[in-house]
């Protein structure tokens, strides 16, 4: 019997997408990424200790203050939930700053409170809002629903007392996130509707995971971009089995918000940003379309030629910078009620 071996670097771009990727991404990939060990071919600990999760980020923007808090739980068990709060420069408006709760990406397995500081700083400065970044627990040590529970604890904290501490206006409260964080942001909106609190004024989801039942046999973008760099289908499955080890949880709406059976017309307006060559493209587009069909204001932007991680590559990609602009402008628009 043949022994399956783990592919070793270099990892050249697959022929199925080679001519379709944005040339800026191809150049950066071939210079800085092609020889790096792939996340799904090594233990989680190795990836967590390897330094920068997503190379190519630009500089952080100037904000007024940053402060970390540890949140005591009220609805679930486990350790305190850490959040990082970014406050804009300048005098706090009389009615309080608007607020964005942000959830980082990393497939529910990687990433931490530091991973997307640059993105949070952009939101803080450019959307003129307090940003609360949530450091939820990671799989496989803490699989589903740990990340959901942690995210909800942060929501409840901000709703029940944190808003006074931070001097914010929770009548102007939006959520946002990228990838696994986009998944959590969508789930928070649906939980809020199901429980009649709180009322979010908007959601901006970048390359979100909305359907953890998707696979190459039944999803067009999974099939077409199965071998795209950064997030091939094999890697997405690697994340999925760590976060959702119980197969019956794949279709749980709190893992797959596209499958939610609640009242979609009560969800907040959405802006979705997807990669043109991302396996997650179709499920992101479907989420935006489902809200549109329910009569909710919905926008979907496609970053053509981009694989999954473009949002975090604003230092080297024009379309990464464009994505951050779309994120910040979408949140600013939602918060100006």
């Amino acid at each position: 019997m043949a022994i399956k071996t783990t592919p070793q670097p270099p990892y050249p771009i697959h022929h199925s997408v080679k001519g379709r990727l944005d040339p800026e991404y191809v150049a950066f990939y071939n210079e800085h990424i092609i020889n790096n060990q792939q996340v799904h071919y090594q233990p989680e600990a190795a990836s967590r200790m390897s330094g920068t999760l997503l190379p190519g980020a630009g500089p952080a923007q100037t904000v007024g203050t940053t402060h970390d808090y540890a949140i005591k739980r009220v609805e679930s068990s486990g350790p305190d939930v850490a959040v990082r709060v970014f406050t804009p420069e300048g005098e706090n408006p009389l009615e309080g700053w608007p607020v964005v709760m942000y959830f980082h990406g990393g497939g529910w397995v990687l990433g931490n409170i530091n991973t997307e500081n640059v993105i949070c700083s952009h939101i803080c400065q450019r959307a003129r809002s307090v940003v609360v970044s949530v450091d939820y627990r990671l799989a496989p040590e803490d699989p589903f629903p740990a990340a959901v529970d942690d995210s909800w604890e942060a929501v409840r904290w901000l709703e029940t007392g944190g808003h006074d501490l931070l001097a914010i206006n929770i009548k102007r409260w939006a959520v946002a996130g990228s990838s696994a964080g986009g998944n959590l942001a969508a789930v928070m909106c649906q939980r809020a509707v199901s429980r009649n609190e709180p009322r979010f004024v908007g959601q901006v989801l970048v390359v979100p995971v909305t359907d953890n039942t998707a696979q190459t046999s039944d999803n067009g973008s999974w099939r077409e971009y199965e071998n795209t760099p950064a997030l091939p289908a094999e890697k997405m499955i690697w994340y999925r089995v760590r976060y959702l080890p119980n197969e019956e949880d794949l279709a749980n709406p709190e893992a797959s918000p596209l499958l939610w059976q609640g009242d979609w017309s009560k969800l907040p307006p959405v802006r979705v940003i997807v990669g043109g060559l991302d396996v997650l493209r179709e499920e992101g587009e479907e989420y935006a379309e489902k809200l549109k069909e329910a009569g909710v204001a919905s926008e979907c932007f496609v970053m053509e030629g981009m694989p999954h991680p473009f949002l975090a590559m604003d230092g080297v990609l024009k379309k990464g910078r464009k994505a951050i602009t779309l994120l910040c402008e979408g949140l600013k628009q939602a918060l100006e009620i």
Side-chain angles (χ1 to χ4, degrees):
M1 182 176 66
I3 299 175
K4 186 177 181 180
T5 59
T6 300
Q8 296 297 311
Y11 303 106
I13 293 172
H14 195 268
H15 65 83
S16 64
V17 294
K18 189 173 184 179
R20 304 169 67 183
L21 288 163
D22 186 288
E24 277 192 322
Y25 179 83
V26 172
F28 185 82
Y29 181 92
N30 285 335
E31 184 173 354
H32 298 284
I33 302 177
I34 190 170
N35 291 307
N36 294 350
Q37 180 60 274
Q38 294 283 330
V39 164
H40 55 301
Y41 295 147
Q42 64 182 0
E44 299 90 4
S47 295
R48 292 171 182 168
M49 295 172 61
S50 63
T52 303
L53 178 60
L54 295 170
Q61 303 302 294
T62 301
V63 301
T65 62
T66 61
H67 192 89
D68 292 353
Y69 295 90
I71 298 172
K72 300 294 182 183
R73 294 175 182 271
V74 295
E75 293 190 17
S76 60
S77 61
D80 293 351
V81 180
V83 298
R84 176 164 295 160
V85 177
F86 302 75
T87 302
E89 293 180 298
E91 187 175 349
N92 193 342
L94 183 63
E95 70 279 10
W97 291 111
V99 60
V100 174
M101 183 161 280
Y102 188 83
F103 304 93
H104 69 79
W108 312 278
V109 175
L110 305 176
N112 55 46
I113 204 167
N114 300 308
T115 303
E116 295 180 27
N117 282 341
V118 169
I119 295 168
C120 291
S121 72
H122 274 276
I123 296 171
C124 180
Q125 185 198 75
R126 297 167 68 179
R128 299 297 293 162
S129 60
V130 166
V131 179
V132 179
S133 177
V134 182
D135 194 23
Y136 53 87
R137 286 172 292 173
L138 301 176
E141 296 88 348
D142 294 290
F144 175 83
V148 175
D149 288 342
D150 294 359
S151 300
W152 186 250
E153 291 288 357
V155 168
R156 295 289 291 135
W157 170 74
L158 206 55
E159 182 186 24
T160 58
H163 65 284
D164 288 332
L165 175 67
L166 303 181
I168 58 175
N169 181 0
I170 60 169
K171 291 182 179 179
R172 298 169 65 194
W173 183 2
V175 294
S178 65
S179 195
N183 170 278
L184 293 169
V187 170
M188 292 304 101
C189 291
Q190 294 172 351
R191 265 205 183 192
V193 168
S194 297
R195 303 185 185 197
N196 295 314
E197 58 182 9
R199 179 183 176 272
F200 299 122
V201 298
Q203 53 180 321
V204 180
L205 314 178
V206 186
V207 294
V209 184
T210 70
D211 183 4
N212 269 306
T213 71
Q215 52 191 328
T216 55
S217 62
D218 60 14
N219 182 287
S221 58
W222 270 68
R223 182 167 52 254
E224 189 170 358
Y225 310 126
E226 177 180 5
N227 296 301
T228 197
L231 190 66
E234 180 184 16
K235 184 177 180 181
M236 186 62 217
I237 293 293
W238 183 89
Y239 285 129
R240 180 186 288 174
V241 298
R242 281 154 180 76
Y243 181 56
L244 298 160
N246 299 317
E247 190 172 350
E248 61 269 21
D249 287 332
L250 296 177
N252 186 319
E254 295 208 326
S256 296
L258 186 64
L259 308 183
W260 187 57
Q261 296 299 309
D263 187 348
W264 284 73
S265 70
K266 293 184 178 180
L267 291 172
V270 70
R271 173 173 287 192
V272 178
I273 305 167
V274 297
L277 276 69
D278 187 3
V279 293
L280 303 180
R281 173 178 175 168
E282 188 170 296
E283 60 196 78
E285 292 173 326
E286 288 178 353
Y287 185 85
E289 182 61 27
K290 201 161 184 176
L291 278 157
K292 184 178 180 180
E293 290 173 354
V296 178
S298 175
E299 302 173 293
C300 186
F301 295 87
V302 180
M303 297 290 101
E304 298 294 350
M306 289 288 106
H308 186 72
F310 56 87
L311 181 70
M313 300 179 69
D314 62 301
V316 296
L317 299 178
K318 294 184 181 72
K319 289 178 181 174
R321 294 189 286 277
K322 175 63 174 177
I324 288 184
T325 296
L326 288 170
L327 168 64
C328 295
E329 289 181 347
L331 288 167
K332 186 175 181 180
Q333 176 180 306
L335 294 167
E336 290 177 346
I337 58 174

